[in-house]
Amino acid sequence: MIKTLILPVGPPGSGKSTLTNGLQQFMTAISRPCSVANLDPANDVVPYTPAFDVRELVSVEEVMEREELGPNGGVLWAMEEIEANLEWLEDRLAECEDTVVLDPPGQPELTIHHLALPRILQRLEKIGYRIVVLQLLDSVVLTRPSLYLSSLLLCVRGMLHLPYPVVNIFTKIDNLRSLGGADLPFNLDFYTEVQDLTYLLPELSREQSSTAAGGSGKWEKLNEALVDLIQDFGLVGFETLAVEDRASMFSLLKAIDRASGYLLSTTRNADPDTGATTDDSASVWAQAMSENWTGKMDVRDVQERWVDRREEYDELERKGWEEEARMAGALPEQSAAEAVRTHARERGAEWVEGDDDGEEEDEVLREQREWEERRRRDPGLKDRSSRKIRIVFVQHNDKDPDDPIYEGKPTWELMFSPRKDDGAELLVFKDVENNPEVMTTLLHNLGLSRTLQFHDVFSIDDPDLLAFVPRPAYALLLVFPVSAMYEKFRHEEDAARPEYDSHGDAEPVVWYKQTIGNACGLIGLLHSVSNGAAKTQIQPGSDLDKFVSQAVPLKPRERAELLEETEALEKASQEAAGQGDTAAPAAEESVDLHYVCFVKSEKDGHLWEMDGRRKGPLDRGQLEEGEDVLGPSALDKGVRAFLKREEAAGGGELRFGLIVLAESLE
């Protein structure tokens, strides 16, 4: 059987890795063999299970250091190293299924003028691979005529640079309505079928005349020339994709098969008459094709589904999923009383509950709830990876008790504030590694939307490196080894401050007091998602949503107790402590690294420093309108102020790390 290579390409953020993950899941569900692999040497967050990862061959960080290149140049150099080691790639591909999806880097140079990727594909074509290129564009380009026109030019150049069958795709079509899709000057088919583009010229003139530069005759002539070029080329058209929608994925896969020449009759071990495999398990894909399903969604249906009547279709889809789950036994059957209530509500009637009305609680569910309650209260019923240890304050012999910084006080103290007297038993967690992937996984498991993730911040002074971080930045986590200078500054600043006692709507920010050892990472994550716009991205009903909802009305001490008693947070934190690149220290070990979070309050627009060891949140000053936590003023008031203090102390090597919470790249 001819092997097929599917190559999604497109700008960063267009959805390449998301589509690769979606194709893997979808083709697995329809019993169609498929392998996926990561060809991006700079991709640190791989959402799918790769058959192989090019980072085994080349690391973009090593290339950047060795060749003294920036991130962009490092990726292009790494692709040239892959070209020079094609035998390695061929050996890995030989172990894969007949259909392979390769997830390449997002640098536009690779599909415009750089020759490494075309040469790699030429070599693979010679050894028998049939190649299909998927040119991905975020559907946000439809909301501005100039973006749409430039995207058409990008597709034309890509088709010339990579001379293989191409499927152009507008991704994230399910988000188009929220981006202004209902106000487009033309129907969706105008954009997908690239109809008479002369109708676009007045829209381009209006857009350009509204800019500071204004419109001009030269701009209009340039637009006319570009429109003529694209229409003379005449080969550009688009599919649409909502990767979580089954019908949309069916339609896209059929388009890919048309481009590659894939024939269903070549499906391995399949009966050509029934579509059943040799083990009598019918392929969903073969069944769908045997029923003459065309696999092509009419673009007018796409517009109705995702733009014109999205809310109605979402509700119908939700009910359909619920019914499927109920039929599969994943949901309990609806009771007669609830069926009557639902029937009445759907017809606009109001159902009035009586005081003693209501069904008796299911006995099994009640026993399950009671068992969970006993399990929560009795530590003996739980497998806890945290430990309670006895804390003793000691004077280290290697420190001078007359040191002016410590003024004769103990030179070692806890990384948290005990709620009891010295020598009390306190809960201590294993420490969580400062790793964006680990932090992201922890929050996603607790219930933060996958539209957000943590990213490394490689520099706060280099604009090119800062440009790699998606904006806006919702929260900034600073991790550093605790120094004598930091402790001196902390004690002096807190000396004149009262103990923070605010709560509820009166709070400018939601602050958590740390009473758990080695939990400063978890506290920093909670500060990140409990404040600002990130709070709106918590999934309703999730463990994180339940905790934050319970914590906001409480005072700091009560919040600390709630955190100690919330098993879901403890379990997630301990699971995360076992991940990452380094082994987590034991719970009883002292960890000298500390996390501080910086957030922008949505109530007063100020930058707040959030540290559970302090007496409360610290107001670092007003930020500019529209400025986020990586803005110049925010960095000056926060991270740079910290760095200046440490540099002035002359403590030797200045070590710190930064990660930022922002939108996902895919």
Side-chain angles (χ1 to χ4, degrees):
M1 180 177 178
I2 296 178
K3 292 194 172 186
T4 303
L5 200 64
I6 301 173
L7 188 77
V9 299
S14 57
K16 296 182 297 299
S17 294
T18 300
L19 175 58
T20 302
N21 185 30
L23 284 172
Q24 182 183 50
Q25 296 185 32
F26 185 74
M27 295 177 79
T28 300
I30 63 174
S31 304
R32 180 163 160 181
C34 170
S35 296
V36 300
N38 177 39
L39 202 64
D40 184 355
N43 188 359
D44 293 329
V45 182
V46 179
Y48 45 83
T49 304
F52 64 87
D53 194 324
V54 76
R55 290 176 297 174
E56 302 168 8
L57 174 68
V58 58
S59 166
V60 72
E61 290 83 5
E62 292 178 2
V63 170
M64 289 168 58
E65 182 177 355
R66 184 181 71 234
E67 305 297 336
E68 297 183 353
L69 296 170
N72 201 53
V75 169
L76 298 180
W77 188 287
M79 292 300 293
E80 293 175 0
E81 288 202 13
I82 298 172
E83 180 190 355
N85 292 274
L86 272 175
E87 293 78 8
W88 177 89
L89 181 59
E90 292 172 6
D91 291 342
R92 297 301 182 276
L93 287 171
E95 302 170 356
C96 296
E97 298 287 353
D98 293 331
T99 299
V100 183
V101 184
L102 286 182
D103 184 13
Q107 273 67 16
E109 293 91 338
L110 294 173
T111 56
I112 294 176
H113 62 80
H114 197 267
L115 295 178
L117 185 58
R119 288 171 179 164
I120 292 172
L121 296 180
Q122 288 171 12
R123 173 74 173 269
L124 296 178
E125 185 182 27
K126 288 180 179 179
I127 63 175
Y129 283 92
R130 182 173 292 168
I131 297 168
V132 179
V133 176
L134 309 183
Q135 174 70 60
L136 275 55
L137 293 169
D138 193 322
S139 58
V140 70
V141 303
L142 303 180
T143 60
R144 285 176 56 191
S146 59
L147 279 177
Y148 176 61
L149 183 60
S150 62
S151 299
L152 292 175
L153 291 172
L154 180 65
C155 290
V156 170
R157 183 67 187 106
M159 295 169 77
L160 294 173
H161 191 63
L162 302 175
Y164 302 99
V166 175
V167 180
N168 297 307
I169 306 168
F170 286 133
T171 61
K172 308 177 188 179
I173 201 71
D174 47 333
N175 290 335
L176 182 57
R177 179 182 176 87
S178 63
L179 297 171
D183 301 321
L184 296 178
F186 308 104
N187 287 331
L188 194 56
D189 58 353
F190 174 87
Y191 301 95
T192 58
E193 297 171 9
V194 192
Q195 297 175 0
D196 189 350
L197 292 180
T198 56
Y199 287 100
L200 193 66
L201 292 173
E203 300 298 328
L204 287 165
S205 297
R206 273 192 286 272
E207 180 186 351
Q208 286 163 356
S209 62
S210 65
T211 64
S216 69
K218 291 183 178 180
W219 278 115
E220 292 178 359
K221 290 180 180 180
L222 175 61
N223 289 336
E224 291 174 4
L226 294 176
V227 164
D228 290 341
L229 172 66
I230 294 168
Q231 294 195 141
D232 288 344
F233 188 75
L235 295 177
V236 183
F238 291 90
E239 300 290 329
T240 60
L241 175 64
V243 75
E244 295 183 355
D245 182 69
R246 286 178 289 185
S248 184
M249 288 295 290
F250 261 114
S251 179
L252 176 62
L253 190 52
K254 184 62 177 178
I256 295 172
D257 288 343
R258 288 197 303 269
S260 67
Y262 177 87
L263 296 176
L264 289 167
S265 60
T266 61
T267 302
R268 65 177 68 182
N269 303 329
D271 188 310
D273 298 322
T274 65
T277 55
T278 53
D279 60 358
D280 238 359
S281 173
S283 163
V284 178
W285 187 245
Q287 284 185 349
M289 295 302 100
S290 66
E291 294 167 4
N292 298 318
W293 184 79
T294 64
K296 175 68 175 177
M297 289 183 70
D298 192 289
V299 69
R300 290 169 295 184
D301 295 333
V302 175
Q303 173 155 346
E304 182 178 21
R305 169 64 181 92
W306 298 113
V307 180
D308 297 338
R309 300 172 59 191
R310 171 167 182 172
E311 291 80 5
E312 298 175 45
Y313 277 92
D314 283 349
E315 180 62 20
L316 289 173
E317 189 174 71
R318 185 193 63 78
K319 290 181 179 179
W321 288 345
E322 185 176 301
E323 185 60 30
E324 287 181 15
R326 186 170 285 112
M327 293 176 64
L331 288 178
E333 288 293 334
Q334 196 175 38
S335 67
E338 184 57 32
V340 172
R341 295 187 184 96
T342 303
H343 182 81
R345 282 194 295 267
E346 289 177 348
R347 284 152 183 76
E350 181 178 357
W351 184 270
V352 180
E353 296 280 1
D355 292 339
D356 56 353
D357 189 26
E359 301 172 70
E360 183 178 355
E361 184 178 17
D362 183 89
E363 183 177 355
V364 175
L365 293 177
R366 184 174 62 252
E367 291 180 357
Q368 172 74 12
R369 178 178 54 79
E370 292 174 351
W371 181 83
E372 290 286 348
E373 181 67 18
R374 291 196 304 272
R375 184 172 177 267
R376 185 183 71 81
R377 292 181 176 179
D378 185 0
L381 296 176
K382 295 186 286 187
D383 179 21
R384 297 173 65 106
S385 56
S386 308
R387 297 185 58 183
K388 285 195 174 183
I389 61 173
R390 184 163 297 279
I391 302 301
V392 181
F393 285 86
V394 297
Q395 177 72 49
H396 284 185
N397 294 329
D398 59 342
K399 293 290 184 179
D400 181 1
D402 297 324
D403 188 326
I405 291 181
Y406 292 92
E407 298 176 347
K409 298 177 182 177
T411 59
W412 180 90
E413 66 176 354
L414 295 177
M415 294 286 288
F416 55 94
S417 304
R419 292 196 351 262
K420 302 177 182 178
D421 297 333
D422 296 356
E425 287 191 350
L426 299 170
L427 188 62
V428 181
F429 284 2
K430 291 182 180 179
D431 192 41
V432 179
E433 181 179 320
N434 176 37
N435 182 314
E437 185 175 351
V438 173
M439 298 293 196
T440 298
T441 301
L442 171 56
L443 285 181
H444 286 173
N445 290 342
L446 286 172
L448 183 68
S449 168
R450 295 185 181 272
T451 59
L452 298 184
Q453 70 177 67
F454 277 99
H455 307 267
D456 275 313
V457 179
F458 295 107
S459 173
I460 58 174
D461 299 313
D462 187 334
D464 292 335
L465 292 178
L466 270 178
F468 279 89
V469 180
R471 308 295 280 272
Y474 298 118
L476 183 64
L477 273 178
L478 167 67
V479 58
F480 56 94
V482 177
S483 67
M485 171 52 66
Y486 175 77
E487 291 298 283
K488 179 178 184 295
F489 173 79
R490 180 174 72 88
H491 283 297
E492 290 178 349
E493 190 174 34
D494 279 354
R497 293 174 55 84
E499 195 76 27
Y500 182 77
D501 201 38
S502 187
H503 60 98
D505 293 336
E507 281 188 297
V509 286
V510 178
W511 177 76
Y512 299 94
K513 188 176 187 64
Q514 185 177 345
T515 60
I516 302 173
N518 294 344
C520 57
L522 176 61
I523 297 293
L525 295 182
L526 291 176
H527 284 144
S528 298
V529 298
S530 299
N531 296 284
K535 184 168 58 177
T536 64
Q537 299 299 311
I538 298 176
Q539 302 281 5
S542 64
D543 290 330
L544 188 57
D545 178 53
K546 294 174 184 176
F547 172 78
V548 173
S549 299
Q550 294 177 48
V552 168
L554 302 178
K555 292 186 176 182
R557 289 290 184 184
E558 296 168 335
R559 281 181 194 164
E561 293 174 1
L562 175 66
L563 177 56
E564 289 184 2
E565 296 168 359
T566 303
E567 184 179 350
L569 293 181
E570 178 185 340
K571 180 180 178 182
S573 178
Q574 303 315 296
E575 289 176 352
Q579 301 174 14
D581 300 326
T582 57
E588 61 268 27
E589 291 185 29
S590 174
V591 180
D592 69 334
L593 293 178
H594 187 55
Y595 290 81
V596 171
C597 179
F598 294 93
V599 298
K600 181 179 181 180
S601 171
E602 58 186 354
K603 295 182 179 180
D604 60 16
H606 286 216
L607 179 73
W608 288 83
E609 180 179 332
M610 314 291 281
D611 183 347
R613 297 176 65 207
R614 308 296 292 267
K615 288 187 175 180
L618 300 160
D619 185 356
R620 295 309 186 194
Q622 181 75 46
L623 298 183
E624 298 292 332
E625 182 72 23
E627 183 180 7
D628 63 12
V629 294
L630 279 181
S633 175
L635 291 174
D636 287 342
K637 299 175 187 295
V639 175
R640 289 194 181 112
F642 162 80
L643 296 178
K644 286 179 181 177
R645 289 195 304 268
E646 295 296 308
E647 288 174 346
E653 180 187 5
L654 187 60
R655 296 186 293 125
F656 70 98
L658 289 172
I659 59 175
V660 66
L661 181 64
E663 292 184 359
S664 300
L665 291 176
E666 299 292 345

